[in-house]
Amino acid sequence: MFIDRAKITVKAGSGGNGMSSFRREKYVPRGGPSGGDGGRGANVVLIGDANLNTLIDFRYKRQFKANNGANGQSSNMHGRGAEDLLIKVPPGTIIRDEATNQILGDITEPGQMVIVAKGGRGGRGNARFVNSVNRAPTFAELGEPGEEQTLLLELKLLADVGLLGYPSVGKSSILSMVSAAKPEIAAYHFTTLSPVLGVVSIAEGRNFVLADIPGLIEGAHEGVGLGHDFLRHIERTKVLIHVLDVSGIEGRDPIEDFHKINNELKLYNEKLFKRAQIVAANKMDLPEAKENYQRVADYMKAAGHEIYPISAATGEGLQVLMQRASQLLDAYVEEPEEIEEAKVYEAKPEDEFSITREDDGAFVVRGDNIEKLVAMTRFGDEEGLRRFQAIWRKLGIDAELRARGIQEGDTVRIGDMEFEFRP
């Protein structure tokens, strides 16, 4: 089963908690704080795997959670960082953020990695907070929460050569004759409902990947028929073989078919229309094809297109066609692929925050720095609470709330925490 789209949820590991402890060895007077830091949480990483060619694994497992870092311990022992969670995907996978539809990464090669959720840093132990004023701090930080994302995965086949043409022109038959692939073949439209790949061997050490992609019809660029499910799979092919039913036994003119298909390519993506394309005049074993071939061949040659007479049923002409496709591949010059909506990270001041007021009257404070501070503070520790209040004032949140008219007893919400405002 071919699955080329999937939605998954990933959760990176949270950092381990920092430790609050003091040395109590017999011969160490005034031992002081000795709490170690927590370990870093695991990242969630997508990695290309050449053994995969579909996203079917994500049909059964859609949630992935990485391990948390280990907690810090006494005697200044730091917690162990967690190993990254690697999720294998086939080369050709584009990763999008569901919330914004922005592209987070594009995996085009085996072994290529993209970090899609970063693990949280470990909380600092109380030994980290010793200073000239406070020689024996009792507080330690909690670990930073790991990032959580809902991702949309989209697979675009990485085939070298793509078979292009109307349904039932013989694309599946060609693939079955020139490779070991076994696509479904029958005398009705849309036999191929999902792409099929096969490896074509030209000579020892020379081969390429050929894709039989679902048939295309007029209006496909607007999603008619299999529409975009077809078109996006030929975006990364280097050479196109345009298969025509020269016999015309289904009542269609092969020249009209040729123009309709190419018009769909042009409307969908101008680059596809300009890609190297050779014409395969199929079904030459039929009398109607022999009668019609010369007219089609003269037209194609006048238009500057190479045309090769073939029969997928008998194998006639297939070897010459594949050798020509291989030559075009050797001459292919890689084009830089333009990926729209690539995510651009912009540096923002750490103390940046925003304040809004909800319908229930609560003041909601949002900002990366303040939200991390809330998540990593032990509010049950008096020193930790005082430190939080000092940073709160330093960031200017207290002054901004007063300027917005907050009153004693009003609710302030930051992340999952709620506070009652006291002057």
Side-chain angles (χ1 to χ4, degrees), residues 8 76 119 185 288 298:
I8 63 173
N76 290 309
I185 300 170
E288 295 89 343
D298 291 344

Coordinates of all heavy atoms in Angstrom, one line a residue, residues 8 76 119 185 288 298:
I8 N 1.6 13.6 12.0 CA 2.1 13.0 13.2 C 2.3 14.1 14.3 O 2.5 15.3 14.0 CB 3.5 12.3 13.0 CG1 4.6 13.2 12.5 CG2 3.3 11.1 12.0 CD1 6.0 12.6 12.4
N76 N 27.4 17.4 43.2 CA 27.6 18.1 41.9 C 27.6 17.1 40.7 O 28.3 17.3 39.7 CB 29.0 18.8 41.9 CG 28.9 20.0 42.8 OD1 28.0 20.8 42.7 ND2 29.9 20.1 43.7
G119 N 14.8 19.3 22.4 CA 14.7 18.9 23.8 C 15.0 20.0 24.7 O 15.8 21.0 24.3
I185 N -2.1 -4.4 -14.0 CA -2.3 -4.0 -15.4 C -3.7 -4.6 -15.8 O -4.0 -5.7 -15.6 CB -1.3 -4.6 -16.3 CG1 0.1 -4.1 -16.0 CG2 -1.6 -4.3 -17.8 CD1 1.2 -4.8 -16.7
E288 N -3.9 -0.4 -36.4 CA -4.3 1.0 -36.3 C -3.1 1.9 -36.0 O -3.0 3.1 -36.5 CB -5.4 1.3 -35.3 CG -6.7 0.6 -35.6 CD -6.8 -0.9 -35.1 OE1 -5.7 -1.4 -34.7 OE2 -7.9 -1.4 -35.0
D298 N 5.7 12.6 -37.9 CA 6.0 13.8 -38.6 C 5.7 15.1 -37.8 O 6.4 16.0 -37.8 CB 5.2 13.9 -39.9 CG 5.7 12.8 -40.9 OD1 6.8 12.3 -40.7 OD2 4.9 12.5 -41.9

